[in-house]
C-alpha cells in the first residue's frame, strides 16, 4: 500500500515534467495554427514561408517587420532567418557577404548560408548557435560608442544620440540589450528574461552587476563559461590588431556604414 501511495504521489509530478517538455512543441504548433488561420482569413494561398515559426530565444530587436529589421524566423532546424533592414538600416547582408572572404574574422560569427525571400522581404540565413542546447542562456550586447547611421534623418540622429548618451553606449562602448536564461522558472516561463527597458536603465556604475547577473545561474557566477568568453574576446582582439586583418576590418565595416 505504501508503494502504491508513493506511485500515486509521483504521478502529478511526472505529468508536470511531461507538460514542461511538450510546452515548446505545443507553442510552435499554436503559432503555425495562427498563421494558417490568418492565411485563410486573408483569402490567399498559404506558402510554406507563412508557416515558419518564430525563433523562441530572441531577446531584443524589433518584432514583426520594420525598416530596422524584425522578428527572427526558423526556416529549418539549426538555422535562423533575419530580415535585412531597409534604407539607412541596410547593410547587414553585405556585411556577411564580405565576411565570407575574411575567414579569420568569420570564425567569430555565425555561419552565413546566403539569402532567402520570405513574404516579399529579403532575409539573411544564419547558423542557430543555440541548436542542440537544452537550456541555452542568451545575452544580446551592442558594441560601439554610437548607434547613429551617418545618412539617418536628423530626427532619428537626435533620438539615437540622446539614447547613446543616456546609456552606456557613449561612455563605455557597450550596451546590454536583453538576456534570457531558458528552463522552467517558478511561473513556467524562462528563469530569467530581461528586455530593452532593463538594458536602457543600466548606467556605467551598474554594468558590472548587470553582466554578473546574466553570466550567473541561480545566483552563482558561471566562471567556466565566462572564462571561455573572455578567452574568445582576447583572441578576437589579437586578430583585429594583426596587420593582415586591418584591411579586412576596414572593408567589412565599410559595408555597414559607408
Amino acid at each position: 500500500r505504501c508503494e502504491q501511495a508513493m506511485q500515486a504521489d509521483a504521478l502529478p509530478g511526472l505529468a508536470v515534467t511531461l507538460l514542461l517538455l511538450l510546452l515548446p512543441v505545443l507553442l510552435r504548433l499554436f503559432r503555425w495554427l495562427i498563421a494558417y488561420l490568418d492565411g485563410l482569413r486573408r483569402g490567399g494561398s498559404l506558402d510554406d514561408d507563412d508557416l515558419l515559426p518564430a525563433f523562441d530565444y530572441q531577446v531584443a530587436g524589433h518584432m514583426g517587420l520594420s525598416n530596422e529589421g524584425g522578428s527572427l524566423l526558423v526556416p529549418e532546424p539549426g538555422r535562423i532567418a533575419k530580415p535585412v533592414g531597409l534604407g539607412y538600416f541596410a547593410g547587414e547582408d553585405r556585411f556577411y557577404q564580405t565576411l565570407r572572404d575574411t575567414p579569420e574574422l568569420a570564425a567569430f560569427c555565425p555561419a552565413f548560408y546566403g539569402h532567402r525571400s520570405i513574404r516579399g522581404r529579403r532575409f539573411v540565413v544564419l547558423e542557430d548557435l543555440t541548436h542542440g542546447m537544452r537550456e541555452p542562456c542568451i545575452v544580446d550586447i551592442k558594441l560601439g560608442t554610437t548607434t547613429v547611421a551617418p545618412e539617418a534623418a536628423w530626427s532619428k540622429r537626435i533620438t539615437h544620440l540622446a539614447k547613446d548618451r543616456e546609456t552606456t553606449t557613449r561612455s563605455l562602448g557597450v550596451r546590454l540589450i536583453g538576456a534570457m536564461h531558458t528552463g522552467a522558472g517558478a511561473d513556467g516561463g524562462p528563469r530569467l528574461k530581461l528586455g530593452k527597458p532593463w538594458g536602457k536603465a543600466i548606467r556605467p556604475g551598474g554594468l558590472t552587476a548587470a553582466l554578473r547577473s546574466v553570466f550567473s545561474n541561480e545566483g552563482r557566477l558561471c566562471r567556466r563559461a565566462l572564462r571561455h568568453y573572455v578567452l574568445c574576446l582576447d583572441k578576437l582582439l589579437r586578430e583585429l590588431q594583426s596587420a593582415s586583418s586591418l584591411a579586412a576590418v576596414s572593408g567589412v565595416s565599410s559595408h555597414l556604414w559607408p
Side-chain angles (χ1 to χ4, degrees):
R1 291 180 179 178
C2 291
E3 292 180 358
Q4 290 177 348
M6 292 176 62
Q7 291 175 355
D9 291 338
L11 287 176
L14 179 61
V16 172
T17 302
L18 290 175
L19 179 61
L20 292 175
L21 291 174
L22 292 174
L23 188 59
V25 178
L26 294 174
L27 287 174
R28 183 162 296 180
L29 289 174
F30 185 65
R31 292 193 186 101
W32 284 341
L33 179 60
I34 291 176
Y36 176 77
L37 294 176
D38 186 55
L40 294 180
R41 179 183 59 80
R42 295 195 307 263
S45 59
L46 276 178
D47 186 86
D48 288 342
D49 289 341
D50 290 318
L51 300 177
L52 292 180
F55 182 59
D56 291 329
Y57 305 136
Q58 183 172 354
V59 297
H62 298 269
M63 298 296 108
L65 285 175
S66 69
N67 288 343
E68 298 183 52
S71 301
L72 304 180
L73 302 176
V74 183
E76 59 184 273
R79 300 186 181 187
I80 60 173
K82 183 178 182 181
V84 175
L86 303 176
Y88 57 81
F89 294 106
E92 189 169 8
D93 53 340
R94 288 174 293 169
F95 167 79
Y96 283 108
Q97 286 177 324
T98 305
L99 204 61
R100 279 178 163 175
D101 299 326
T102 54
E104 63 276 10
L105 297 179
F108 296 93
C109 300
F112 174 54
Y113 298 110
H115 304 90
R116 180 169 175 173
S117 179
I118 302 176
R119 303 166 192 169
R121 183 70 174 265
R122 186 178 177 87
F123 282 66
V124 289
V125 181
L126 305 171
E127 175 187 8
D128 176 7
L129 298 177
T130 68
H131 183 62
M133 297 183 182
R134 289 183 301 173
E135 297 183 356
C137 296
I138 302 100
V139 57
D140 191 326
I141 303 177
K142 183 173 290 187
L143 300 179
T145 57
T146 180
T147 60
V148 183
E151 65 273 27
W154 276 108
S155 59
K156 199 69 175 178
R157 292 190 190 189
I158 292 172
T159 57
H160 275 244
L161 285 171
K163 189 186 301 181
D164 292 345
R165 292 183 181 277
E166 291 171 358
T167 62
T168 54
T169 291
R170 187 68 173 174
S171 57
L172 300 179
V174 58
R175 188 201 310 172
L176 300 184
I177 305 299
M180 178 189 294
H181 290 180
T182 60
D187 59 352
R191 287 181 286 117
L192 176 72
K193 188 169 184 179
L194 303 167
K196 281 186 176 181
W198 164 77
K200 290 181 180 178
I202 299 172
R203 296 297 176 260
L207 183 62
T208 299
L211 283 170
R212 185 180 183 90
S213 68
V214 299
F215 280 100
S216 295
N217 182 23
E218 298 181 347
R220 293 184 299 176
L221 185 65
C222 300
R223 298 181 182 275
R224 183 177 179 182
L226 190 57
R227 189 179 299 113
H228 174 75
Y229 185 72
V230 171
L231 289 174
C232 288
L233 287 177
D234 184 63
K235 185 177 179 180
L236 175 60
L237 178 61
R238 292 198 305 270
E239 186 62 50
L240 292 173
Q241 290 174 334
S242 68
S244 60
S245 293
L246 289 178
V249 172
S250 177
V252 169
S253 62
S254 68
H255 281 280
L256 285 176
W257 282 346

